[in-house]
Amino acid sequence: MAGALAFRWDGRRTRFYFHTHPGSYTDVTLIGFLRQLKRHFRGRRVILIWDGLGAHRSGSMTTYLARQRPWLTVERLPAYAPDLNPIEQVWGNVKGAELANVCAEDLSGLRRPLCLGFARIRRQTHLAFAFLRHAGLAL
């Protein structure tokens, strides 16, 4: 699963985007997710905070990101620093609520509880700011 918390520069609006994919994420699937994000942001500048996942550092990803500089700036987190990554708080929050005690046979069995949890996070915009603060970040 890939996700992106988005904050408007003045703090008046938050968004949460997510993408599910069976199996592991690769540079190819993540580039697809970034292309979808680009369509959502329609020419607005974006700062992306990324962890140390191998697919984030591949040669094809590096080439792709270099071509996206007009709209996308990437800030990399240290190799293993989940406390510094706001999206980790999203996963933890949904795992503790909508996914608690769920035992799905496959990814399709997780779709409904995930969508419910992500919809809750979208509605309760204060959560996105709490996730940002927990990571020691501010707008």
Side-chain angles (χ1 to χ4, degrees), residues 21-43:
H21 171 78
S24 298
Y25 271 86
T26 65
D27 50 2
V28 173
T29 53
L30 287 171
I31 287 170
F33 181 57
L34 290 175
R35 286 184 175 137
Q36 291 175 6
L37 285 178
K38 184 177 182 178
R39 283 193 295 271
H40 284 288
F41 289 108
R42 288 180 244 142

Side-chain angles (χ1 to χ4, degrees), residues 9-85:
W9 64 272
D10 60 4
R12 288 185 17 211
R13 189 173 184 181
T14 66
R15 293 259 172 106
F16 177 65
Y17 302 95
F18 73 98
H19 179 265
T20 58
H21 171 78
S24 298
Y25 271 86
T26 65
D27 50 2
V28 173
T29 53
L30 287 171
I31 287 170
F33 181 57
L34 290 175
R35 286 184 175 137
Q36 291 175 6
L37 285 178
K38 184 177 182 178
R39 283 193 295 271
H40 284 288
F41 289 108
R42 288 180 244 142
R44 286 178 250 152
R45 293 201 41 81
V46 172
I47 298 171
L48 179 66
I49 301 172
W50 245 356
D51 61 18
L53 183 69
H56 294 169
R57 299 182 315 266
S58 75
S60 60
M61 181 62 77
T62 301
T63 301
Y64 175 79
L65 293 175
R67 292 192 317 263
Q68 305 308 308
R69 285 191 181 130
W71 75 277
L72 184 65
T73 301
V74 176
E75 296 292 336
R76 297 196 184 272
L77 292 172
Y80 184 77
D83 287 349
L84 300 178
N85 192 345

Side-chain angles (χ1 to χ4, degrees), residues 116-138:
L116 290 171
F118 296 156
R120 176 179 54 80
I121 288 171
R122 285 185 180 124
R123 280 190 317 275
Q124 298 176 1
T125 57
H126 69 280
L127 287 175
F129 288 102
F131 301 151
L132 196 65
R133 280 190 308 277
H134 181 83
L137 302 171

